[in-house]
Amino acid sequence: GAGVSQTPSNKVTEKGKYVELRCDPISGHTALYWYRQSLGQGPEFLIYFQGTGAADDSGLPNDRFFAVRPEGSVSTLKIQRTERGDSAVYLCASSPKVTGELFFGEGSRLTVL
Amino acid sequence: DQQVKQNSPSLSVQEGRISILNCDYTNSMFDYFLWYKKYPAEGPTFLISISSIKDKNEDGRFTVFLNKSAKHLSLHIVPSQPGDSAVYFCAASGDGGATNKLIFGTGTLLAVQP
């Protein structure tokens, strides 16, 4: 289909390792959002991009988290020195513009052992 | 602190009856509210929204009511159908919907019994 695609769907890693989570938005959508959903919680805003630039990264929990969108399409969320508390489902969403309906992917489930 | 609260973790309703899902918020700066529905192993999907200048918005079987003085909103589903069984998230923003930077509640699991 032509929805938001996220890879990997599941990632198990060890504490201290580096991980990358990829998001391929709907073609033509200029805005891309990353959210994180921990167990029993609602999605929590991390960062959003308008085009190639990060318009608001105020939700990133600390400097171990970083995200890029170099060509204004695919985005990668990077987590350094993973901790057990990073375990969550990382959701990516896109919208045709900054406002308007948000289309979510199925998420990448990260488990840090 | 939780700025958007959904105090009922779950709700069970008979098919054909009304489902009422509730949401409370604490931040008076919130001016745009949304409901999302989530099936297992899928991402949330947008359902309905309401601006703070309104007190009601209706879309088919779904109606959202906003009570600003009480900082409370509710989602009514009439009539409820088994396919409505999902987790429902209330969300809010303080920028009038200018972005999709949202604060979500913890969700309510709705089970519609046939």
Side-chain angles (χ1 to χ4, degrees):
Chain A
V4 176
S5 175
Q6 292 188 246
T7 55
S9 54
N10 276 288
K11 175 71 176 177
V12 180
T13 190
E14 293 180 343
K15 181 176 180 294
K17 299 288 189 183
Y18 169 82
V19 299
E20 289 189 352
L21 306 175
R22 175 190 166 106
C23 173
D24 201 339
I26 294 172
S27 178
H29 281 194
T30 59
L32 185 147
Y33 290 75
W34 283 99
Y35 281 80
R36 174 171 75 172
Q37 186 175 10
S38 301
L39 193 63
Q41 302 297 314
E44 173 192 19
F45 170 79
L46 296 177
I47 184 172
Y48 89 87
F49 292 86
Q50 176 62 13
T52 60
D56 186 335
D57 65 357
S58 61
L60 294 178
N62 51 60
D63 61 6
R64 296 187 296 106
F65 289 75
F66 190 71
V68 295
R69 194 186 185 199
E71 297 178 356
S73 178
V74 171
S75 176
T76 305
L77 179 65
K78 308 180 180 192
I79 310 173
Q80 298 178 322
R81 304 184 304 280
T82 52
E83 300 177 356
R84 293 194 179 88
D86 299 335
S87 296
V89 176
Y90 289 81
L91 294 163
C92 177
S94 68
S95 59
K97 47 184 179 176
V98 172
T99 187
E101 183 175 344
L102 203 54
F103 295 85
F104 281 88
E106 294 180 357
S108 291
R109 180 177 297 278
L110 174 66
T111 302
V112 182
L113 301 176
Chain B
D1 62 331
Q2 195 77 19
Q3 297 187 69
V4 177
K5 302 176 184 178
Q6 294 177 257
N7 293 317
S8 296
S10 63
L11 175 68
S12 183
V13 172
Q14 286 295 120
E15 180 178 5
R17 305 296 289 269
I18 183 171
S19 294
I20 300 176
L21 297 103
N22 293 303
C23 177
D24 298 292
Y25 61 95
T26 58
N27 191 336
S28 58
M29 298 301 291
F30 288 154
D31 56 7
Y32 192 70
F33 304 88
L34 310 90
W35 285 92
Y36 279 80
K37 179 169 74 172
K38 185 181 183 303
Y39 293 118
E42 294 186 10
T45 55
F46 170 77
L47 198 54
I48 193 169
S49 64
I50 187 167
S51 165
S52 62
I53 62 173
K54 296 185 174 182
D55 54 18
K56 176 183 174 181
N57 188 26
E58 189 173 352
D59 183 2
R61 296 186 298 114
F62 302 91
T63 302
V64 57
F65 294 93
L66 175 62
N67 182 334
K68 288 186 290 294
S69 61
K71 295 192 181 69
H72 177 83
L73 65 157
S74 60
L75 175 68
H76 292 209
I77 307 174
V78 182
S80 302
Q81 300 173 353
D84 296 330
S85 298
V87 176
Y88 288 79
F89 291 101
C90 171
S93 80
D95 58 17
T99 72
N100 279 304
K101 180 181 176 183
L102 306 174
I103 296 175
F104 283 84
T106 53
T108 296
L109 175 61
L110 174 65
V112 180
Q113 309 296 334

